[in-house]
Amino acid sequence: MKLSTIALTIMLGISSSSMAQQKDITIKIVETSDVHGSFFPYDFITRKPKSGSMARVNTFVEDLRKKEGKENVYLLDNGDILQGQPISYYYNYVAPEKTNIAASVLNYMGYDAATVGNHDIETGHSVYDKWFKELRFPILGANIINTKTNKPYILPYTVIKKKNGLKVCVIGMLTPAIPNWLKETIWSGLRFDEMVSCAKRTMEEVKKKENPDVIVGLFHSGWNGGIKTPQYDEDASQKVAQEVPGFDVVFFGHDHTPHNSTERNIIGKEVICLDPANNAQRVAMATLTLTPKNVKGKKQYTLTKAKGELVDVMDLKADEAFIKHFQPEIDAVKQWSEQVIGNFENTIYTKDCFFGNSAFNDLILDLELKITKADIAFNAPLQFNSVIKAGPVTVGDMFNLYKYENQLCVIKMTGEEIRKHLEMSYDLWVNTMKSPDDHLLLLSNTQNDAQRLGFKNFSFNFDSAAGIDYTVDVTKPNGEKVHILRMSNGQPFDEHKWYTVAVNSYRANGGGELLTKGAGIPHDSLQSRIIWESPKDQRHYLMEEIKKAGTMNPQAHHNWKFIPEEWTIPAAARDRKLLFGE
């Protein structure tokens, strides 16, 4: 009896163990992307509560970990986290001796891996190199190459191993278009390889060395479109998903456009493709079910079910423990960002910029001319619908006035190049009107595009100018709309003369291609055109000028206009109502 009982017990134990080994495992992989400093449910610019934020993401993730088990939840960030809110600027430049808030938040939330965005690179070596070291998990960039060693500057991939026994490999990459936007000193010693070929190389290495159960792409590059050169595509996530076999999931970002699709790659396998867009208002989540099998005595897992979804976290309750933990940092940045630096006698609106001269844009152009002493200045609206109200102006308001940490440059351009630059800008900006009933603006039917916001093209490339008087005839074909009348000081404008032009560093380095495709300046000649560059970011100098002035009364200058006005004025009113409801 005793022997049979023991035998039965052993048999049951073996059976139970065998069943446990054969049990499917379901994991959840969660991605954030393009957080842009949205760590807390408070906007340090508007001084108001804000939707989304990592505080709400943390509520979602912690709940998921409780339901699924910590070992079955993977958390990834896809870059563009170091710029976007005053709190980011504060820890990048005002208090750089402290741990960067972007490291503190990601570490607190228990991220498993992250990759790098172009706006992270834009902060400069001293900021992003320090941030890399402060992260307590792998930071990835297979195509970010150290030019001295010809090897990846940071890890090309990581293999995440948790208690569930799975090997989840994450391959990270960054859009290679960095040199089109940022001066070389910001990314000195680096190059950014084309994504498809880099993904193929890295995939081969992963399969040879790691034999993972799941392979995930984490790409700071949009779906498709963007800058295309003979060497690379800015947005190549779709290409990689379709042309590089091996990926089970491709998480991406950069284009601020929510996306959820299943693509079939060149060998017929389905790939889940997800983009949560920006500002921590959604997360992307892949749910994968894997079935174990024994191969030559070793247990391996096969992916048997996969689903992708975008989860809205905009209105979730913010994690109270998260807020409490970071309250000292929140309070320090509030105190800094709420400092009064001057006073405006009237309210200015970015929405005015799209329909003609505006007090908002002309204030920036005026200050650019004053700071640089250039002949002409270019600037585009960097916000869609922001307001700086009459009354006290704070440090936080300056992030509404000028969104990015661009530097200010002075470049040499001929009169013809100036006109051609503006021609391309307005071709991107306005419709060619065939009748009085047409749209003034070049609008898009695309929904949920958080970067274009109703326009066909990016509004941060809608440059207008100060220092010259001109008209934009919207009935003329592309390339023939702009007619420069004179310099604004009354002197003649000469297309054969050289002028000094104030632009931001994004534009001076070829951003938006207005200087290259538009003005016709070869990209490799741009650096030779720059005759001055500010040591600090443009916002710093704008702030200093407002401090000096004390009280300002920004006004539109009316140095340019859309014509014929009997068409454009009613069309502008219609488009304004369509975009802004007024």
Side-chain angles (χ1 to χ4, degrees):
M1 288 292 291
K2 287 184 179 179
L3 285 172
S4 61
T5 302
I6 291 168
L8 180 60
T9 302
I10 291 171
M11 288 175 64
L12 287 171
I14 292 170
S15 176
S16 174
S17 173
S18 176
M19 287 174 66
Q21 288 179 5
Q22 295 306 314
K23 188 178 179 182
D24 287 355
I25 297 175
T26 297
I27 62 173
K28 307 273 188 177
I29 310 177
V30 178
E31 177 217 17
T32 51
S33 187
D34 299 89
V35 169
H36 286 294
S38 296
F39 304 123
F40 308 109
Y42 175 80
D43 192 322
F44 293 92
I45 301 173
T46 63
R47 302 186 291 281
K48 293 178 180 178
K50 73 192 302 285
S51 61
S53 84
M54 295 294 256
R56 292 191 170 94
V57 172
N58 202 55
T59 297
F60 173 78
V61 171
E62 285 302 303
D63 184 57
L64 199 63
R65 285 168 173 158
K66 287 175 186 174
K67 290 178 181 175
E68 306 293 333
K70 284 186 178 181
E71 72 277 11
N72 295 324
V73 177
Y74 300 75
L75 189 55
L76 311 174
D77 185 73
N78 191 39
D80 268 13
I81 197 170
L82 292 180
Q83 286 188 336
Q85 275 277 322
I87 194 165
S88 302
Y89 186 88
Y90 181 83
Y91 283 96
N92 290 348
Y93 305 112
V94 179
E97 71 282 359
K98 298 181 179 179
T99 301
N100 196 298
I101 190 68
S104 300
V105 166
L106 295 182
N107 289 337
Y108 177 93
M109 294 175 69
Y111 272 75
D112 294 293
T115 193
V116 186
N118 53 292
H119 282 288
D120 303 324
I121 298 295
E122 189 172 13
T123 62
H125 264 294
S126 63
V127 175
Y128 61 77
D129 285 338
K130 172 178 172 284
W131 176 60
F132 293 164
K133 293 173 185 175
E134 291 169 344
L135 296 171
R136 296 202 294 264
F137 53 83
I139 183 80
L140 311 175
N143 67 330
I144 304 173
I145 306 301
N146 184 328
T147 54
K148 289 182 180 178
T149 65
N150 215 33
K151 294 179 180 179
Y153 185 68
I154 50 181
L155 288 174
Y157 66 86
T158 188
V159 177
I160 305 166
K161 299 176 184 177
K162 298 195 177 189
K163 290 181 180 179
N164 57 22
L166 296 178
K167 293 173 70 175
V168 176
C169 178
V170 182
I171 298 172
M173 291 193 293
L174 167 63
T175 174
I178 301 295
N180 283 73
W181 307 315
L182 305 176
K183 63 177 184 175
E184 189 172 351
T185 52
I186 285 174
W187 45 272
S188 59
L190 305 178
R191 77 168 190 267
F192 306 93
D193 283 357
E194 186 272 332
M195 288 177 57
V196 174
S197 57
C198 178
K200 288 177 179 177
R201 286 196 311 270
T202 311
M203 182 64 72
E204 186 178 352
E205 180 182 353
V206 164
K207 288 186 172 181
K208 183 178 179 180
K209 293 182 178 179
E210 309 294 348
N211 194 28
D213 301 300
V214 175
I215 302 178
V216 175
L218 187 63
F219 308 150
H220 193 88
S221 174
W223 188 238
N224 54 36
I227 296 169
K228 293 182 185 294
T229 75
Q231 292 76 36
Y232 61 78
D233 291 337
E234 172 188 350
D235 297 328
S237 293
Q238 181 182 23
K239 267 190 172 183
V240 174
Q242 293 175 342
E243 297 179 18
V244 185
F247 290 103
D248 299 299
V249 183
V250 164
F251 290 111
F252 64 102
H254 179 61
D255 56 10
H256 291 203
T257 304
H259 181 101
N260 178 7
S261 71
T262 301
E263 303 298 314
R264 199 170 289 279
N265 66 22
I266 55 172
I267 62 170
K269 183 184 174 185
E270 290 188 340
V271 184
I272 301 293
C273 298
L274 298 165
D275 179 350
N278 56 313
N279 293 334
Q281 299 199 353
R282 300 174 196 82
V283 297
M285 183 167 69
T287 301
L288 308 181
T289 299
L290 295 104
T291 300
K293 63 177 181 178
N294 288 313
V295 178
K296 297 180 180 178
K298 292 184 178 180
K299 185 163 63 171
Q300 294 183 357
Y301 292 86
T302 302
L303 181 62
T304 52
K305 190 187 296 184
K307 183 182 78 167
E309 59 187 306
L310 303 183
V311 182
D312 189 328
V313 300
M314 282 190 276
D315 298 320
L316 284 182
K317 181 177 172 58
D319 187 317
E320 291 179 4
F322 180 95
I323 299 292
K324 184 178 180 181
H325 179 84
F326 289 106
Q327 197 62 55
E329 287 86 346
I330 295 168
D331 291 342
V333 177
K334 276 187 178 180
Q335 185 177 4
W336 170 76
S337 65
E338 290 174 7
Q339 294 176 86
V340 175
I341 60 169
N343 189 75
F344 282 180
E345 291 184 346
N346 57 306
T347 301
I348 58 175
Y349 305 87
T350 52
K351 60 190 173 187
D352 293 341
C353 302
F354 303 114
F355 305 100
N357 275 114
S358 69
F360 197 106
N361 206 44
D362 284 346
L363 170 63
I364 296 171
L365 288 164
D366 278 353
L367 294 178
E368 286 180 337
L369 290 174
K370 185 176 181 181
I371 294 162
T372 64
K373 312 301 181 190
D375 300 317
I376 294 163
F378 291 145
N379 191 63
L382 301 181
Q383 303 271 36
F384 178 65
N385 190 13
S386 295
V387 181
I388 301 178
K389 292 183 178 179
V393 177
T394 67
V395 170
D397 287 323
M398 297 305 296
F399 290 79
N400 256 340
L401 184 66
Y402 202 85
K403 183 177 181 181
Y404 298 117
E405 275 84 76
N406 302 139
Q407 290 166 290
L408 185 58
C409 298
V410 177
I411 62 174
K412 297 182 297 181
M413 296 180 71
T414 66
E416 182 183 17
E417 289 169 345
I418 288 165
R419 179 183 57 77
K420 286 182 175 180
H421 178 110
L422 288 172
E423 291 282 12
M424 180 173 173
S425 170
Y426 285 101
D427 290 344
L428 294 171
W429 181 347
V430 297
N431 187 31
T432 299
M433 294 183 70
K434 303 295 185 184
S435 80
D437 298 323
D438 285 345
H439 290 291
L440 169 65
L441 304 178
L442 195 56
L443 302 177
S444 171
N445 295 322
T446 304
Q447 300 296 314
N448 297 322
D449 188 330
Q451 281 196 305
R452 291 175 177 83
L453 298 162
F455 298 107
K456 183 177 180 181
N457 299 299
F458 296 124
S459 59
F460 52 73
N461 290 323
F462 297 174
D463 272 6
S464 59
I468 51 176
D469 296 348
Y470 62 99
T471 59
V472 182
D473 189 339
V474 298
T475 66
K476 301 290 186 185
N478 284 355
E480 300 178 20
K481 289 181 168 66
V482 176
H483 180 50
I484 301 176
L485 305 171
R486 66 189 73 83
M487 300 297 292
S488 293
N489 62 10
Q491 293 181 359
F493 178 82
D494 186 348
E495 289 216 353
H496 302 290
K497 184 178 175 180
W498 286 93
Y499 295 94
T500 55
V501 183
V503 293
N504 65 34
S505 54
Y506 170 81
R507 192 71 77 229
N509 285 282
E513 301 180 290
L514 296 180
L515 289 175
T516 51
K517 281 188 179 178
I521 302 170
H523 194 274
D524 59 9
S525 298
L526 291 177
Q527 287 302 309
S528 67
R529 297 294 191 97
I530 299 172
I531 59 176
W532 180 81
E533 186 172 21
S534 65
K536 295 184 178 181
D537 63 278
Q538 179 165 331
R539 191 191 303 115
H540 167 82
Y541 297 96
L542 298 177
M543 192 184 306
E544 290 301 304
E545 291 299 324
I546 292 171
K547 283 180 182 177
K548 287 179 195 174
T551 296
M552 302 188 79
N553 183 23
Q555 297 290 334
H557 294 331
H558 306 295
N559 63 301
W560 70 272
K561 62 183 178 180
F562 293 122
I563 61 171
E565 290 186 295
E566 61 270 23
W567 284 21
T568 61
I569 291 174
R574 293 193 303 271
D575 286 352
R576 189 180 183 103
K577 187 172 183 180
L578 185 66
L579 289 173
F580 301 104
E582 59 180 39

